[in-house]
Amino acid sequence: MTRTYRLGCLLGDGIGPEIVPAARRVTDAALAAAGAPAVEWVDLPMGAAALAEHGAAVPASTTAVLRECDGWLAGPHDNESYPPSWRASGERAPGGELRHVFDLWANLRPSRTRQGVAGRVPQMDLLIVRENTEGFYADRNMAVGSGEFMPTPDLALVVGVFSREAVRRVVRQAFALAEARRRHVTLVHKANVLHLAFGIWLEECAAAAREHPGVRLETVLFDAMAARLVRSPESFDVVVTENLFGDTLSDLAGELAGALGMSGSLNAGDRHAMAQAAHGSAPDIAGRGVANPVGMMASSAMLLAWLGERHGDAAAGRAGAAIDEAIDAVLAAGVATGDVGGSAGTEEFTDAVVSEVGSR
Ligand code: ATP
């Protein structure tokens, strides 16, 4: 059913203030073209500016408002540039904090070649489903504090966490998504070394495969996957894996398909979803008006698709699909940003996508 969504808008750092407004404009245009009500946007502080003004990169006031939102757009964060006092405070990096607080357990990261963009490979279309709340990301693994410890200045210990519940839900999600794609799931694991942790992954995948007899399950070691992804990326459909492996492989896949700036990403939980591009804050090009907004726009399209599915809202689903099609059409017409060989700035590219969405 058509409904009015309340969405947070968090600019973040680096190129965030350029790409997030671009994605917001395209979202507004797509919903209007689909005959859906306008979004009720809520601007909220996150990142370096929030740290300076509120003393936290993700202030409690931001999370309180997000709790009442249907979802949000989040820019990247450049926590490497935050003052030493921030690290000493023990606050998680903003993306990790939001994933943790809202239990955004599935990170969906598609990578596909698009006409008009010279990828490093001729053809690929895969979806990485990354477990988003535990695994080797120690800062997500504790209710309080981080799973990194330093008993002496020369000894660091890191806790990896693999719970059956977290593995099961993300594996099930991967199989459900594969049903609507090419019905092929690849589990990336390291059970030859970490028998217990990845034993859980293998067991849960085998159980899901029994529930989805039409979906082919393949298992590949993480190191072998790095090579296979470069050699034959077109042979993968849905790839499911733990947090750090998924983060690494999605950067590789994004770059193979074209460039990092092209990769959309949705962080989804049971009640909320966060659209945040797979790339980082790109401080080297920030403020110059040249950032590629495709990754952030594609993330917004995924958020609309998620809202459409969750609420049975066909108009939101149509709007999400229209954004993706409009990006394809604009790139195919030769309009692109510099990172993928074009000459358009962020604004010119965004104008072209907004106008394309409006003409559909
Ligand atoms: P962070 O520390 O936040 O991860 P980073 O610059 O180290 O930032 P990324 O931002 O992920 O890492 O990307 C590395 C490089 O890729 C950037 O320095 C930039 O040159 C390029 N890049 C990434 N995203 C984009 C984009 N949207 N548009 C254009 N170039 C991009």
Side-chain angles (χ1 to χ4, degrees), residues 4 20 30 62 139 148 165 167 186 195 218-219 249 279 300 305 315:
T4 301
V20 174
T62 291
D139 67 330
E148 270 198 307
E165 189 198 349
V167 172
T186 304
H195 310 277
E218 181 186 21
T219 63
L249 292 174
H279 60 76
S300 310

Side-chain angles (χ1 to χ4, degrees), residues 9-27 43 46 73-78 261 277 279-298 300 337-339 344-351 353-354:
C9 184
L10 291 70
L11 297 181
D13 304 324
I15 57 174
E18 296 158 76
I19 59 172
V20 174
R24 178 166 158 169
R25 274 184 65 201
V26 170
T27 302
D43 292 304
M46 183 270 276
L73 310 189
H77 40 83
D78 183 15
H279 60 76
S281 61
D284 53 331
I285 57 164
R288 289 174 29 205
V290 298
N292 186 347
V294 168
M296 195 61 228
M297 289 176 180
S300 310
T337 47
D339 58 321
T346 312
E347 202 163 320
E348 182 188 344
F349 184 84
T350 305
D351 288 345
V353 178
V354 167

Side-chain angles (χ1 to χ4, degrees), residues 99 106-113 120-121 124-132 137 140 186 188 222 225-227 229-230 233 236-267 276-280 295 299 302:
R99 287 168 181 151
N107 185 198
L108 312 182
R109 292 189 160 182
S111 286
R112 69 177 170 91
T113 40
R120 284 168 175 74
V121 294
M124 66 185 280
D125 178 6
L126 60 77
L127 171 65
I128 292 180
V129 181
R130 166 192 178 200
E131 200 294 315
N132 216 20
Y137 269 61
R140 321 287 147 87
T186 304
V188 176
F222 179 49
M225 184 66 178
L229 199 48
V230 173
F236 297 102
D237 177 19
V238 173
V239 176
V240 65
T241 192
E242 73 86 36
N243 209 337
L244 176 62
F245 292 179
D247 198 14
T248 309
L249 292 174
S250 55
D251 263 29
L252 175 56
E255 196 63 32
L256 285 175
L260 268 186
M262 300 287 295
S263 301
S265 161
L266 187 74
N267 300 268
Q276 186 182 40
H279 60 76
S299 307
M302 294 173 77

Side-chain angles (χ1 to χ4, degrees), residues 177-219:
L177 290 164
E179 288 281 9
R181 293 176 49 103
R182 301 193 304 280
R183 298 207 180 110
H184 175 200
V185 170
T186 304
L187 165 67
V188 176
H189 68 98
K190 198 65 189 157
N192 56 337
V193 177
L194 299 162
H195 310 277
L196 304 179
F198 287 105
I200 292 180
W201 279 90
L202 287 166
E203 285 163 15
E204 290 305 320
C205 276
R210 283 194 293 276
E211 284 167 22
H212 295 268
V215 176
R216 180 163 68 91
L217 170 64
E218 181 186 21
T219 63

